[in-house]
Amino acid sequence: MKKKCDMAKSWHRASLLVFTGMVLGALTLNFRGLEYILPAVSAVLLLLGFRSLRQENSWFMGCYILAVFRLAYIFAYLLIHTTILPGLLRDFSIFSASLPVSLFLSFATYFCFWMALHTMKTEAGEEPRTAAAFAVIVWYAVLCLLALLDLQGLLFIGIALVSFILVFYNLSI
């Protein structure tokens, strides 16, 4: 009985780390250094959460591997941006490829997380209700599309914030 309780606590702690990492990673605040701090903290939390869950199934292992790559990418990005290299090398393709790499890692992590939850529910013999995890992928894709279209205004910010709260609230329950 104690082992089952310890497993439940471990699962709760790991899922809380993953959920918090996803929320912080989805926020973009460009003031007081938060544009650097939030992604770094998010990557660490995702790594710690997925590290605990990597034995559950192969999709969680994929999430863990992607979290390792994401953390390495973010810390390399931070390290490079503490030097003069970005100003000297801004015309090179490696710096223009940083956004697609970041988007790929985010989408791949969210996809693997969705499939991991689906697989876990199926293996447990439950009905796989993972619509909230899929909604995170859709929410992120819509936000990327809105950013590409350069839509601005309080209406879009309000809709994005309300949908953010609804999606992540449904993911947490």
Side-chain angles (χ1 to χ4, degrees), residues 125-172:
E126 297 179 22
E127 181 184 339
R129 295 178 295 166
T130 56
F134 183 72
V136 172
I137 298 169
V138 172
W139 177 82
Y140 203 71
V142 168
L143 241 52
C144 290
L145 180 65
L146 291 175
L148 285 174
L149 296 175
D150 198 28
L151 295 176
Q152 300 174 4
L154 289 177
L155 177 64
F156 293 113
I157 292 172
I159 291 171
L161 188 60
V162 168
S163 62
F164 172 82
I165 291 168
L166 289 174
V167 165
F168 281 99
Y169 173 75
N170 285 325
L171 185 62
S172 70

Side-chain angles (χ1 to χ4, degrees), residues 49-91:
F50 288 135
R51 182 181 178 274
S52 299
L53 298 172
R54 71 181 188 266
Q55 301 299 323
E56 293 291 324
N57 60 45
S58 61
W59 288 105
F60 276 125
M61 178 59 85
C63 289
Y64 174 70
I65 291 168
L66 286 167
V68 169
F69 282 122
R70 185 179 187 146
L71 186 67
Y73 166 77
I74 287 174
F75 279 108
Y77 180 84
L78 292 174
L79 185 64
I80 288 171
H81 279 79
T82 60
T83 67
I84 62 169
L85 285 177
L88 297 175
L89 302 174
R90 76 173 140 245
D91 295 331

Side-chain angles (χ1 to χ4, degrees), residues 86-102:
L88 297 175
L89 302 174
R90 76 173 140 245
D91 295 331
F92 285 95
S93 62
I94 192 165
F95 287 102
S96 62
S98 67
L99 180 62
V101 169
S102 178

